[in-house]
Every structure is written in structure tokens, then in C-alpha cells.
Amino acid sequence: MTLSLYDTMTRQKRAFTPRDPHRVTLYVCGPTVYNYAHIGNFRPVVVFDLLFRVLRDLYGDEAVLYAANVTDVDDKINKKAADEGVPIGVISDRYLAAYNADAAALGALKPTFQPRVTETMDAIITFISDLVAQKAAYAAEGHVLFDTQAFPDYGKLSGRPMDEMIAGARVEVAPYKRHPADFVLWKPSKPDEPAWDSAFGPGRPGWHIECTAMIEQALGLPIDIHGGGIDLVFPHHENELAQGVCAGHGHEYADVWMHNGFLNMGDEKMSKSVGNVALAHDLLKTYPGEALRWALLAGHYRQPLEWTGELIEQAKSALDRLYRVLDDSSRFLDGVPTAARASGGENRGALQAHDAVLAALRDDLNTPLAFAGLFQLADHVRSSTMGKDVAGVERGRSLLLEAGQLMGLLTADPRAWFQGGADDDLKLRVEALIAARGEARAAKDWPAADRIRDELSALKVEVMDGPAGATWRIKEQA
Ligand code: AMP
Ligand code: ZN
């Protein structure tokens, strides 16, 4: 089964063939760490984490190298550091730690590399020198600029004519630019701003060259897949590509360019400048990370996705449905004597649905179809459970877990999932009531046992008596 991916450059879905199946390379543009990231910033994180998982599944965990960078040199970081009277590293470390914690809570695996601009400065400076040597860059008034006229294919990725690119880039047409579309590779720092020494004078890099150099340092150019949000196609990726090709290291940059659509709030892109943001950090206090992950994957990654309370609730109840099947089937298996358990059981229906999930994911990450496959798989597990087909339940459950976990979902213990909505106070109260009910029943005090059951029911708690004693879960909402 092949993987097909939509490529922004050729504007078509194509079969993916890595240059080297033992060394598959993926790079995704990451955040600028000056504040908590909003949930829209995590759409590329979750989408490309899913791609990372699909690639690992196809080529092997060790064969896939994924670099997701961090921009830790930026005006907004400078400003925040100045406001707090601390070095920029204090700000970027703080928000990078928060970002990584949120990404992990959303089920994202750690990328193989997380390069930072401050740790790539030498490579950035070398790359700029190479561009100057190739006559693709020139120095002017303390700046080094990329000469867009040196790259005949400039504009090919975004498909924009030059005049539109000039307007779209909103580039400052400084008098020292040879062409209005030329962009900065190195610029002098303002007084009191951090500066790095270089052959072009003390200063700091432009945004685009940072990524190109980080790719070169972390993965080596060219790479197989380059990803990011759709807003990065122009000018960021167009400029990365121009730099990468013109540095004289080879004529290719990335085989496939992938871009996720926007996460919108209301009719607009969620963005800090508009102010219509929901921080992942805050959402995670209310919702399980898996529910937010499901919500981010509910639409196809190239389409815009509207972020609403309803979307999150639907995601949560979709997961409830799957976890209930896992919980019910595990309770059923708990009641089966070990001798009656069989390994190597079959569940043809579940296997077909499992394969459909894989096929959907390998078809340009078609997550809506993959979710439909997970529900079908769960239906097979449910019917095997009802039919008391021990081997079918065992096989079906493991296929469901495998397919779900390939998507970074169904990683919780089902019982813990249903108790997850309960706060610590409620948990303690429920445990105490269950213990009291056990004592009442042991004492054959049936009225007391009934009263406690009613009390638990009022707390929307369902108690289940099993061979290992009583367990509980939050009741299914009607
Ligand atoms: P930024 O910190 O704005 O440079 O964004 C980091 C990453 O998040 C980039 O890949 C952006 O394209 C992406 N991104 C930012 N806002 C959104 C959004 N509302 N929807 C989807 N992706 C976004
Ligand atoms: Zn980038």
C-alpha cells in the first residue's frame, strides 16, 4: 500500500517515494516562543505528528527523521525580555517548555530534532556566505539581501506573479534593495538588542534563512517533506526554497511541500493579532488532550476547520463511544476464565475496518475517513462482545487499539478515561460511597445499600460489580 500526499508545488496528490527509505526526512516550521501558543498553532503540530506516525509505521521508527524548529530570535521575544528585564533565553525557555508540554498533552511524539535559531547561528552565517559567494546575495548598508533575480523559479511554489508577490510580501522597499522583492538574510541589530558576530557585521538573521540553515544542519538538504501552515507558502517557503537552491549545495530542496489549512474562529483565522484565540494551555484544563487532538483531526488537514465548542463536544463523545466499547469488552474478558482465552483469534470484520483506517491515512491523511473506519472497527468489537466470542473480542480489541494508537488516540486506560471527568473531590466521594455500599451489602442492610446506589446515581456514576470487586464510571450521557 503506497502513501500519497498532496504536494503544493505540483498541485497534485502523488505517490510518495523517499530518496532513501532508511532515512526519511521531514521538516515542519514551528513556533516563535514568546507567549502561550493558541490551538491554531497546534493544528500543524497534530497534523504533522500524524504524518510522522504514518511514516514510522511504513518505514520503521528509526528510519524517519523529523525536525520541528523553534524560532527563539524575534522582536516579540526581545520586547518581552526587555519588559521583564531578563535575557531572551529566559523567555524562550519558559514558553518552549509550555509549548512542549501542550504538544505532548495533545499526543504529539517528540520530534527527532527540535533545532533553535540561537543554536544554529554558525550554520546560518555559513549559509549566507555561500549565497554571497554564489552571487545570489549582496551586502548593502549593513544588511545582506537575497537577490531574487538570481532564482528564475522565484514564485513557482506559490504560483504568484512578481507584482503580486511584492504587494503580498509587504516588503519594505528600502532604497538599498536591488529589486523590491529582495529579502533580508542578515540585518544589524538595534542598540540594546541581542546581536551575533558575523563576517557581515554584528546583527541577526532574517526569518527565512533560519529555517533553511536549520534544515541543512539537522537533516541535510534536500529533504523529503517540508510542512507548515498554508500562510507560510508565501513568502516564507518561497524564500526558503530560493535560498536553498541558490546556495550551490544542489538543485533540490524538498520533494513534497505540505500545508495545513487554517483553524478559524468565527469567520477568521485564529490569530494573536486578531485576538480571536483559544490557548491550548487553557483548553487542556477543561478537556482531555485526546479530545482536542480528535477535534483538530476532525476535518481534512487541507481544509479550513472551524473551532467551536460543539466541535470539541463531538470529539469528546466520539472518543467516549470508542472507550465504552473498550471498557465493556475488557469487562467481558475479565469474566472469562484464563483457560477459555485463546490467542490468534480472528475477527475478519475488524481486520477489514482496521485496514480501511490505514488506507485512509495513507491517502493524504484522510482523517474523516479514518475516523469512520475506527467506528466500524468498534462496531465489530461490540458485536463480538455481545456474541460472547472471546477470540473475536481479543483480536478486535487489539486491532482497535492499534489503529487508534497509530493516530495518537485511545492511549488512556478506558476506566481512567471515564473517571477523567471527575475531579479529585468527586473521586474520593465516589470511592467512599462504594466502600459504604460494600459494607451495607455485607451486613445485608439492603435499604442502606439502595440509598447509597441512588446517591451514586445522582452523581451520574454507574457502579459495576465484577469479579475483582466494584468499579465505576461516569454514566453515558443521553
Ligand atoms: P506562528 O507562530 O504564527 O509562526 O505559527 C506557527 C505555525 O502555526 C505555522 O506553521 C503556522 O502556519 C501555523 N498556524 C498559525 N496560526 C494558524 C491557524 N489559525 N490555523 C492553522 N495553522 C496556524
Ligand atoms: Zn520555516
Side-chain angles (χ1 to χ4, degrees):
M1 216 189 302
T2 53
L3 170 65
S4 5
L5 299 172
Y6 182 87
D7 173 29
T8 307
M9 175 66 90
T10 51
R11 290 159 180 78
Q12 60 180 353
K13 203 156 72 173
R14 304 192 271 120
F16 173 67
T17 319
R19 285 158 196 279
D20 176 358
H22 303 293
R23 194 177 182 283
V24 182
T25 50
L26 166 66
Y27 180 88
V28 176
C29 298
T32 306
V33 279
Y34 68 99
N35 209 333
Y36 289 110
H38 61 71
I39 191 74
N41 294 128
F42 285 100
R43 190 170 190 201
V45 173
V46 166
V47 163
F48 290 104
D49 172 71
L50 179 63
L51 177 65
F52 183 35
R53 288 166 182 272
V54 169
L55 291 169
R56 283 159 60 105
D57 184 54
L58 277 164
Y59 298 98
D61 290 359
E62 302 304 316
V64 186
L65 303 181
Y66 172 26
N69 82 286
V70 177
T71 303
D72 61 355
V73 174
D74 183 84
D75 284 339
K76 296 188 213 78
I77 302 177
N78 290 342
K79 182 174 182 320
K80 190 128 184 163
D83 288 350
E84 292 190 21
V86 295
I88 54 169
V90 171
I91 303 296
S92 48
D93 283 352
R94 182 196 305 156
Y95 293 108
L96 177 58
Y99 178 83
N100 283 339
D102 290 348
L106 293 169
L109 300 173
K110 262 178 79 159
T112 328
F113 306 107
Q114 192 170 48
R116 296 170 70 150
V117 176
T118 49
E119 291 165 4
T120 319
M121 225 31 105
D122 291 347
I124 293 172
I125 293 166
T126 306
F127 216 104
I128 298 175
S129 300
D130 290 348
L131 286 169
V132 173
Q134 297 291 325
K135 301 205 175 349
Y138 58 95
E141 295 187 23
H143 293 66
V144 183
L145 293 140
F146 182 84
D147 181 356
T148 47
Q149 302 303 294
F151 184 47
D153 276 345
Y154 193 70
K156 198 171 162 194
L157 177 66
S158 57
R160 294 187 187 208
M162 185 55 88
D163 54 348
E164 210 180 283
M165 285 194 284
I166 295 167
R170 274 179 258 116
V171 280
E172 176 202 350
V173 184
Y176 48 79
K177 284 190 182 180
R178 287 186 193 160
H179 187 274
D182 293 355
F183 55 89
V184 165
L185 299 169
W186 190 263
K187 60 186 168 192
S189 298
K190 297 195 188 89
D192 302 328
E193 275 182 356
W196 286 263
D197 280 331
S198 79
F200 339 105
R204 49 187 270 213
W207 172 33
H208 317 301
I209 194 69
E210 295 168 352
C211 275
T212 306
M214 282 188 274
I215 296 177
E216 177 81 310
Q217 180 163 294
L219 301 171
L221 284 164
I223 53 169
D224 291 310
I225 305 171
H226 192 317
I230 189 84
D231 52 335
L232 300 185
V233 177
F234 185 82
H236 186 52
H237 290 168
E238 195 78 71
N239 292 354
E240 270 193 43
L241 171 65
Q243 296 162 160
V245 172
C246 292
H249 302 200
H251 280 289
E252 283 166 83
Y253 194 72
D255 277 357
V256 184
W257 289 88
M258 289 176 71
H259 295 97
N260 64 272
F262 288 144
L263 190 73
N264 295 330
M265 183 103 118
D267 290 334
E268 275 182 288
K269 173 197 174 191
M270 187 182 284
S271 112
K272 279 189 197 127
S273 53
V274 179
N276 58 346
V277 297
L279 302 183
H281 185 73
D282 292 334
L283 289 163
L284 284 162
K285 291 180 191 152
T286 314
Y287 301 102
E290 281 196 9
L292 300 174
R293 183 180 175 93
W294 184 295
L296 286 172
L297 295 174
H300 189 265
Y301 78 90
R302 283 193 281 123
Q303 300 301 320
L305 179 67
E306 172 136 17
W307 190 255
T308 60
E310 204 185 352
L311 176 74
I312 312 175
E313 289 306 330
Q314 281 169 356
K316 170 79 172 56
S317 53
L319 281 161
D320 281 351
R321 225 170 111 188
L322 300 180
Y323 274 114
R324 201 160 292 280
V325 169
L326 288 172
D327 194 17
D328 289 342
S329 56
S330 98
R331 285 169 197 283
F332 161 71
L333 290 176
D334 283 349
V336 174
T338 321
R341 299 273 193 111
S343 59
E346 270 206 45
N347 191 329
R348 277 171 173 279
L351 184 60
Q352 270 173 11
H354 165 275
D355 292 351
V357 173
L358 256 63
L361 294 176
R362 289 173 188 178
D363 183 13
D364 196 31
L365 304 180
N366 190 337
T367 49
L369 201 60
F371 284 158
L374 285 182
F375 286 130
Q376 279 167 14
L377 223 172
D379 284 345
H380 289 289
V381 179
R382 187 195 299 275
S383 53
S384 304
T385 308
M386 306 233 284
K388 302 200 185 318
D389 166 11
V390 178
V393 173
E394 286 187 331
R395 178 83 176 118
R397 268 178 66 80
S398 73
L399 287 165
L400 177 56
L401 287 170
E402 197 184 298
Q405 289 174 5
L406 176 62
M407 300 188 74
L409 299 163
L410 303 184
T411 60
D413 171 67
R415 280 168 216 183
W417 173 263
F418 288 110
Q419 293 172 6
D423 58 29
D424 287 346
D425 284 352
L426 179 61
K427 278 186 196 161
L428 285 173
R429 217 166 132 205
V430 171
E431 302 291 349
L433 284 167
I434 289 177
R437 174 174 164 273
E439 284 165 23
R441 284 165 62 133
K444 300 201 187 323
D445 182 352
W446 307 121
D450 285 353
R451 222 175 28 247
I452 296 170
R453 195 197 51 214
D454 291 348
E455 222 174 304
L456 284 162
S457 172
L459 293 172
K460 300 202 168 30
V461 166
E462 180 183 7
V463 179
M464 294 136 114
D465 294 300
T471 54
W472 63 280
R473 65 188 185 189
I474 302 289
K475 272 191 198 159
E476 194 161 10
Q477 304 294 310

